[in-house]
């Protein structure tokens, strides 16, 4: 095994479906995934959306720490995210004006005052907003504001989850040579320009570090944008669902890429989709999957070119890089792909953070990684 090998993880977005990544990582780190055996431990972590959260959690934990990075990540998904304490909501978002809470007898018994405070607080926030939208629709013909559903979800649970589970100091140290090397790249999209913004280790300061992860997870229409130093950011998956290139740029020679959507031929935009948000999510996923395939095809061509150069050098003693200097910056990269065989989450889609759904996705990821077949998965070797 070459001492120059550098292993990286590339984790895609997908809301609750990112729990699938936890299962794949469990198999990899526990010796159940054959292709991960005999290679160095990953030290580059790139992610988008919930995959960015997963990458940040792993990068903020030291290898010898207890519990281990993957055990801690699994505990967050399996035990913390499904429900926040005695609240009805999960640890990602809270539904505003949740009238169902008044029919939840155990909840009302535990938190009678809190439930009314939250309800009237929501009412005070939503009434002016909805009135303003109605006036714009009636007098200006502006119905676009009604498409923004983010006002119906409060994201303070996600803010607390990120701040409690991600150690920013450890992330910053990871690329400074303090302790084991840990390179982190989290992708967000800048509002207005639509350009990807890659947050690196040094960007994870106390002021903006947690906001960067929150911004990467901010699905448009569903969650509000995040202001970072005067600029607004949202879900990075709109421009880079599986950030392969940042991992290559970080010097990876082996990449484990985990995508939370099945291949295009294994899914249909309309199949098993019972709501508009899920249809929108799947449509975006199909479009971005095509972009990923182009990136992978490009990487295959680069590998083939470098292999050709190597054969030419061994047979003719000529270094083709002397004749094609533009190719000197390219490196051969092995990419192992992991994808579910079916759509995760069923009809409830990427916002189903129930314990049952998360545990099923983790189990599917662990099973798929243990049975991983490079030829069937289309890995780049």
């Amino acid at each position: 095994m070459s001492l120059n090998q550098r292993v990286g993880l590339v984790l895609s977005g997908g809301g609750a479906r990112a729990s699938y990544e936890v299962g794949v990582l469990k198999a990899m780190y526990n010796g159940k995934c054959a292709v991960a055996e005999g290679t160095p431990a990953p030290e580059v972590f790139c992610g988008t959306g919930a995959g960015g959260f997963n990458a940040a959690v792993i990068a903020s934990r030291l290898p010898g720490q207890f519990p281990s990075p993957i055990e801690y990540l699994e505990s967050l998904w399996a035990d913390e995210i499904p429900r926040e304490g005695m609240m009805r909501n999960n640890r990602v978002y809270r539904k505003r004006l949740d009238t169902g809470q008044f029919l939840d007898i155990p909840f009302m018994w535990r938190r009678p005052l809190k439930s009314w405070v939250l309800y009237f607080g929501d009412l005070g926030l939503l009434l002016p907003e909805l009135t303003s939208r109605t006036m714009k629709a009636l007098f200006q013909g502006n119905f676009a504001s009604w498409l923004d559903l983010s006002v119906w979800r409060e994201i303070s649970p996600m803010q607390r989850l990120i701040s409690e589970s991600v150690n920013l100091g450890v992330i910053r140290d990871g690329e400074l040579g303090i302790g084991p090397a840990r390179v982190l790249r989290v992708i967000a999209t800048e509002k207005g320009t639509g350009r990807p913004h890659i947050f690196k280790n040094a960007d994870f300061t106390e002021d903006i570090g947690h906001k960067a992860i929150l911004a990467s997870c901010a699905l448009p229409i569903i969650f509000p944008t995040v202001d970072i130093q005067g600029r607004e950011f949202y879900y990075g998956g709109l421009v880079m669902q599986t950030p392969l290139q940042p991992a290559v740029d970080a010097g990876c020679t082996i990449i484990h890429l985990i995508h939370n959507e099945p291949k295009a031929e294994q899914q249909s935009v309309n199949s098993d989709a019972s709501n508009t948000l899920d249809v929108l999510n799947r449509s975006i996923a199909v479009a971005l999957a095509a972009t990923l395939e182009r990136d992978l095809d490009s990487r295959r061509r680069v590998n083939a070119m470098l292999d050709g150069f190597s054969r030419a050098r061994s047979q003719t003693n000529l270094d083709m890089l002397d004749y094609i200097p533009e190719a000197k910056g390219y490196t051969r990269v092995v990419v192992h792909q992991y994808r579910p065989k079916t759509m995760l989450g069923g009809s409830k889609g990427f916002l189903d953070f129930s314990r049952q759904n998360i545990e099923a996705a983790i189990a599917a990821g662990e099973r798929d990684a243990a049975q991983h077949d490079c030829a069937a998965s289309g890995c780049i070797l």
Side-chain angles (χ1 to χ4, degrees), residues 347-367:
S347 61
K348 293 184 179 180
F350 58 105
L351 291 180
D352 182 5
F353 292 95
S354 66
R355 191 180 306 275
Q356 180 181 5
N357 182 52
I358 288 173
E359 289 179 347
I362 293 175
E366 188 171 13
R367 181 177 61 252

Side-chain angles (χ1 to χ4, degrees), residues 258-275:
I258 310 175
H259 198 299
N260 301 311
E261 302 280 350
K263 293 182 178 180
E265 60 269 19
Q266 294 175 317
Q267 63 175 305
S268 169
V269 170
N270 295 315
S271 65
D272 197 30
S274 62
N275 60 75

Side-chain angles (χ1 to χ4, degrees), residues 81-255:
I81 287 178
R83 186 177 293 273
E84 184 178 14
M86 293 188 293
M87 299 296 291
R88 280 170 51 83
N89 54 281
N90 53 59
R91 292 206 66 181
V92 178
Y93 66 90
R94 180 183 69 84
K95 294 180 181 179
R96 288 196 169 107
L97 284 185
D98 180 14
T99 55
Q101 66 184 334
F102 301 113
L103 301 177
D104 187 341
I105 303 303
F107 172 73
M108 290 297 295
W109 178 263
R110 293 192 305 263
R111 309 294 293 273
L113 180 61
K114 182 71 172 180
S115 60
W116 285 105
V117 170
L118 287 174
Y119 188 83
F120 283 109
D122 292 342
L123 199 61
L125 174 72
L126 289 172
L127 275 179
E129 174 66 22
L130 298 180
T131 300
S132 174
R133 293 185 183 189
T134 302
M135 298 298 287
K136 288 180 180 179
L138 291 176
F139 296 103
Q140 300 177 13
N142 181 6
F143 295 91
S145 60
W146 283 102
L147 298 176
D148 183 3
L149 304 179
S150 62
V151 71
W152 296 99
R153 292 179 178 85
E154 197 239 325
I155 60 171
S156 62
M158 194 190 325
Q159 291 173 314
R160 289 193 295 271
L161 174 69
I162 293 172
S163 63
E164 292 170 4
S165 56
V166 176
N167 188 321
L168 299 176
V170 173
I171 290 175
R172 293 194 299 273
D173 291 345
E175 211 167 12
L176 295 176
I178 302 175
R182 293 174 311 284
V183 176
L184 176 64
R185 301 290 185 263
V186 173
I187 316 302
T189 303
E190 184 176 0
K191 185 178 180 181
T193 66
R195 296 173 182 168
H197 187 93
I198 303 175
F199 290 96
K200 301 180 180 180
N201 292 60
D203 298 320
F204 284 83
T205 63
E206 301 302 323
D207 291 334
I208 70 172
H210 293 136
K211 289 182 179 179
I213 303 168
L214 185 66
S216 183
C217 296
L219 290 158
I221 301 177
I222 299 172
F223 298 134
T225 58
V226 178
D227 182 277
I228 299 178
Q229 297 182 329
R231 293 188 292 170
E232 289 188 89
F233 295 89
Y234 51 84
Y235 183 50
L238 293 181
V239 289
M240 203 178 291
Q241 176 77 335
T242 43
L244 179 63
Q245 191 57 46
V248 175
D249 294 340
C252 290
T253 56
I254 300 176
I255 295 174

